Amino acid sequence: MELEGSAKHRLEQFIAQNTGAERCAIVDMNRLGGGAIQENWCLDVAVTGGAFAGHLETVLRTDAASKVAVSLTRGQEFALLKTAFDAGVTVPEPLWMCGDISVLGKEFFIMRRVSGDAAGHRLVKTELVRDSGEVLVERLAQELARIHGITPPAKDLDFLVLPEPTPARYWVTQFRKYLDSHPEPHPLLEWALRWLELNAPVDVHMVLCHHDFRTGNLMVDGSTLTGILDWEFAGWSDFHEDLGWFCAKCWRFGADNREAGGLGGRETFYKSYEEATGRLINHDTVIYWEAMAHVRWAIIALQQAQRFLSGEESSLEAALTGHVVPGLEFELLKLTGKES
């Protein structure tokens, strides 16, 4: 998305209208790394007059060329971000939503920029994690507790539907539909789905789940958590699903001895979460959702690879993502190798 001439002027006008400014000028705009499904643009704006007068540092978030079917729209993601912000979750402050595609050709929203680094492969190797990883894990458990404090029904989130008949069985059905339509067989994933179907949890405590709460979506500046990012997959589910996704081996970035996101101990994470929520964690159910996490990530990887192989997208990142599937299948063998 290159902004020149009239498009840049329209965006400046949009910001001016929402800030009550006399004038807005975009002084710098560049694309941030990552974001295979959404584009994130660093946007620096000089604002003259109004409540935001001065230098405004923001991020503009819009659709990338690729898309995953279960991803929310930018308007829906903005509503979720605002709900989380109002609930006291540490997220970038949502500023303005634009559903008028005449401005940039597609919908987008703008949020305040937060400082720090979110790259998981770097975060797990930092001195902060080596020295204070347990403290960070405690904080993340408390943040997740705030997210899970939002329960259905919730104001402004009526676009979220309850997964039927249960979250686990809903995902098994969705993943099986995709594998049935995929041009190549994946018998190990099919076997894992059958295991997940037979062992699906019956007792469900439904909350708002981030659905991508993991190392790599956590902005950390020094020793401070500055933002929980990427809300495009959020929805109602069993609270154990977020716990399993965060603890899944595929999101530890090689720091496998630190089972809570590659950052700290699983026990520390569990204890802090239980203290913050007052609810008990079923450890077996978390392991179940870890298995589901590996299937889900494998399905996403297959989708990314298929877009490259079909010629729909020429992204090297999409091509390489498909190569993670065998490792995920191997982990599934270990996770499901014992009777529950």
Side-chain angles (χ1 to χ4, degrees):
M1 183 181 70
E2 298 295 335
L3 278 189
E4 295 181 358
S6 59
K8 180 179 179 182
H9 179 65
R10 290 194 299 270
L11 182 56
E12 289 171 338
Q13 283 187 315
F14 170 80
I15 297 172
Q17 290 168 358
N18 282 277
T19 59
E22 299 170 16
R23 180 177 177 272
C24 287
I26 296 172
V27 296
D28 190 29
M29 184 175 185
N30 56 82
R31 186 172 179 178
L32 298 171
I37 300 168
Q38 310 304 334
E39 289 184 7
N40 296 296
W41 291 81
C42 179
L43 192 67
D44 288 354
V45 187
V47 181
T48 304
F52 290 80
H55 183 76
L56 183 59
E57 297 182 342
T58 67
V59 169
L60 184 151
R61 185 164 166 86
T62 190
D63 295 330
S66 61
K67 185 174 176 64
V68 173
V70 295
S71 175
L72 299 170
T73 68
R74 302 293 61 73
Q76 292 169 339
E77 187 180 9
F78 182 82
L80 277 158
L81 195 63
K82 189 175 185 306
T83 298
F85 182 81
D86 292 343
V89 182
T90 302
V91 296
E93 181 184 1
L95 295 176
W96 314 293
M97 172 66 207
C98 181
D100 182 358
I101 63 171
S102 68
V103 178
L104 295 181
K106 50 187 175 181
E107 67 177 13
F108 64 90
F109 66 82
I110 296 176
M111 55 188 169
R112 284 194 189 273
R113 190 158 74 242
V114 295
S115 61
D117 187 5
H121 67 282
R122 288 196 294 265
L123 182 58
V124 299
K125 298 175 183 177
T126 61
E127 184 176 338
L128 162 68
V129 170
R130 289 195 298 270
D131 297 342
S132 307
E134 300 301 302
V135 176
L136 179 58
V137 163
E138 288 179 352
R139 170 69 186 278
L140 291 171
Q142 293 160 6
E143 292 288 336
L144 195 59
R146 292 191 185 96
I147 297 171
H148 291 176
I150 303 168
T151 56
K155 182 182 178 182
D156 300 326
L157 301 183
D158 55 351
F159 53 87
L160 296 179
V161 297
L162 292 171
E164 298 290 350
T166 66
R169 291 187 177 276
Y170 170 83
W171 285 118
V172 167
T173 300
Q174 297 306 308
F175 296 152
R176 184 170 283 143
K177 283 180 181 178
Y178 176 78
L179 287 178
D180 287 346
S181 66
H182 196 269
E184 296 180 356
H186 287 275
L188 201 151
L189 293 181
E190 295 280 6
W191 181 85
L193 280 176
R194 179 57 175 162
W195 183 92
L196 289 167
E197 183 176 47
L198 292 174
N199 292 275
V202 177
D203 296 326
V204 177
H205 187 117
M206 202 78 75
V207 300
L208 178 66
C209 279
H210 182 280
H211 279 158
D212 205 8
F213 188 90
R214 62 174 177 85
T215 306
N217 283 335
L218 310 169
M219 188 71 84
V220 178
D221 188 358
S223 61
T224 304
L225 176 72
T226 56
I228 297 167
L229 311 177
D230 292 359
W231 289 73
E232 64 201 290
F233 298 117
W236 306 125
S237 189
D238 181 1
F239 73 90
H240 289 94
E241 182 174 351
D242 271 347
L243 301 177
W245 187 255
F246 182 69
C247 291
K249 185 178 179 180
C250 54
W251 298 124
R252 297 177 199 162
F253 294 90
D256 296 336
N257 59 317
R258 298 191 291 265
E259 294 187 358
L263 305 175
R266 184 189 295 264
E267 296 78 11
T268 301
F269 184 62
Y270 283 4
K271 181 180 178 182
S272 184
Y273 181 87
E274 289 181 337
E275 289 175 350
T277 61
R279 68 174 70 104
L280 294 178
I281 295 170
N282 184 314
H283 295 203
D284 289 339
T285 303
V286 178
I287 298 300
Y288 173 92
W289 282 107
E290 285 186 49
M292 185 75 83
H294 284 80
V295 171
R296 178 184 165 201
W297 180 213
I299 296 293
I300 293 172
L302 290 173
Q303 291 174 327
Q304 295 281 66
Q306 187 60 32
R307 278 198 291 271
F308 175 83
L309 293 171
S310 67
E312 179 185 345
E313 188 177 347
S314 60
S315 165
L316 178 61
E317 181 180 4
L320 292 175
T321 300
H323 289 282
V324 307
V325 175
L328 297 169
E329 291 177 330
F330 179 70
E331 187 62 22
L332 278 165
L333 285 175
K334 293 191 289 183
L335 285 167
T336 61
K338 296 181 180 180
E339 294 294 329
S340 61

